Amino acid sequence: DQQVKQNSPSLSVQEGRISILNCDYTNSMFDYFLWYKKYPAEGPTFLISISSIKDKNEDGRFTVFLNKSAKHLSLHIVPSQPGDSAVYFCAASASGSSYKLIFGSGTRLLVRP
Amino acid sequence: NAGVTQTPKFQVLKTGQSMTLQCAQDMNHNSMYWYRQDPGMGLRLIYYSASEGTTDKGEVPNGYNVSRLNKREFSLRLESAAPSQTSVYFCASNPDRTNYEQYFGPGTRLTVT
């Protein structure tokens, strides 16, 4: 049973518009959430994170929103750029779990020029 | 500062052969992790090491062994490779016990025929 779910395998948006990537989780013990970006033939790179004590975290064009009651988080990219085209993974962790990450299956984002 | 390095980049094995995937980090990180990535399944944790001299099982440990040789190096061994172990393998490290962010290597693409 997947504890972290990314239900949209792919997303296509126009350059300059907003990209919204979604992630749902089932384990209420998760208290830290991360987004990773992955280009082909490379390892994932950290993008942004959020602790469960917050509901929003912003870093430049990237904002992560957390809705604990709905067990849902989203990543907003504004404005989207062609270089943002990649696979985005949502990950979650629980305190006391040796900082292990549980990953979603990923969403492939394509930003069209 | 090379970050996390992995060798080899590519490997083809026949069923039943053995091999060791090497991982090293030069960031003085305590924790290290091995993941496998399969299409549509995200990254799944195989084994991890919270500190030098300790190792623990992750979500999918069957068919693998690990060694934390020292603080820098964490190897993954397949004793008798099976086609189901065809995957991309990523090694990662974590800087300290209060930071959930993991830094990933470039990956090893393994094919078992």
Side-chain angles (χ1 to χ4, degrees):
Chain A
D1 183 33
Q2 278 191 298
Q3 298 184 69
V4 179
K5 299 179 185 179
Q6 293 177 257
N7 292 318
S8 298
S10 63
L11 175 68
S12 180
V13 300
Q14 195 75 35
E15 180 179 5
R17 306 294 290 268
I18 184 171
S19 295
I20 300 176
L21 293 87
N22 294 302
C23 179
D24 297 295
Y25 61 97
T26 57
N27 189 340
S28 57
M29 299 300 291
F30 289 148
D31 54 7
Y32 205 85
F33 304 89
L34 304 88
W35 284 94
Y36 278 82
K37 177 178 180 179
K38 186 182 179 306
Y39 293 117
E42 294 184 10
T45 55
F46 170 76
L47 194 56
I48 192 169
S49 62
I50 188 166
S51 163
S52 61
I53 63 173
K54 296 184 177 181
D55 54 19
K56 175 182 173 181
N57 189 26
E58 207 169 343
D59 184 1
R61 296 186 297 114
F62 302 92
T63 303
V64 57
F65 295 92
L66 175 62
N67 183 333
K68 289 186 289 294
S69 60
K71 294 191 176 67
H72 177 84
L73 62 155
S74 61
L75 174 68
H76 293 210
I77 307 173
V78 184
S80 301
Q81 299 173 354
D84 296 329
S85 297
V87 177
Y88 289 79
F89 291 101
C90 169
S93 189
S95 296
S97 68
S98 299
Y99 304 93
K100 294 181 293 185
L101 298 180
I102 306 298
F103 283 84
S105 55
T107 296
R108 184 178 302 277
L109 173 65
L110 175 65
V111 180
R112 307 186 307 275
Chain B
N1 191 336
V4 180
T5 56
Q6 292 184 236
T7 55
K9 285 188 166 44
F10 301 95
Q11 184 71 48
V12 179
L13 293 178
K14 294 188 188 312
T15 297
Q17 287 185 317
S18 62
M19 79 160 296
T20 299
L21 282 65
Q22 306 288 353
C23 173
Q25 52 91 9
D26 61 1
M27 298 174 283
N28 202 36
H29 290 175
N30 287 320
S31 301
M32 297 185 74
Y33 309 81
W34 275 106
Y35 294 88
R36 59 178 288 173
Q37 186 196 3
D38 302 295
M41 300 192 73
L43 287 87
R44 292 181 293 167
L45 183 65
I46 305 172
Y47 269 93
Y48 67 100
S49 169
S51 62
E52 184 179 351
T54 68
T55 61
D56 284 288
K57 296 177 181 179
E59 300 172 74
V60 288
N62 291 344
Y64 305 95
N65 285 301
V66 290
S67 295
R68 183 74 183 267
L69 305 169
N70 47 56
K71 193 170 186 179
R72 289 188 64 246
E73 298 171 291
F74 188 36
S75 61
L76 179 71
R77 182 160 178 83
L78 287 71
E79 290 291 352
S80 179
S84 61
Q85 295 178 304
T86 293
S87 188
V88 182
Y89 291 85
F90 290 101
C91 177
S93 67
N94 175 277
D96 60 52
R97 300 195 177 200
T98 59
N99 187 333
Y100 289 83
E101 179 185 342
Q102 294 180 16
Y103 295 78
F104 283 81
T108 294
R109 183 174 293 275
L110 175 68
T111 302
V112 183
T113 61

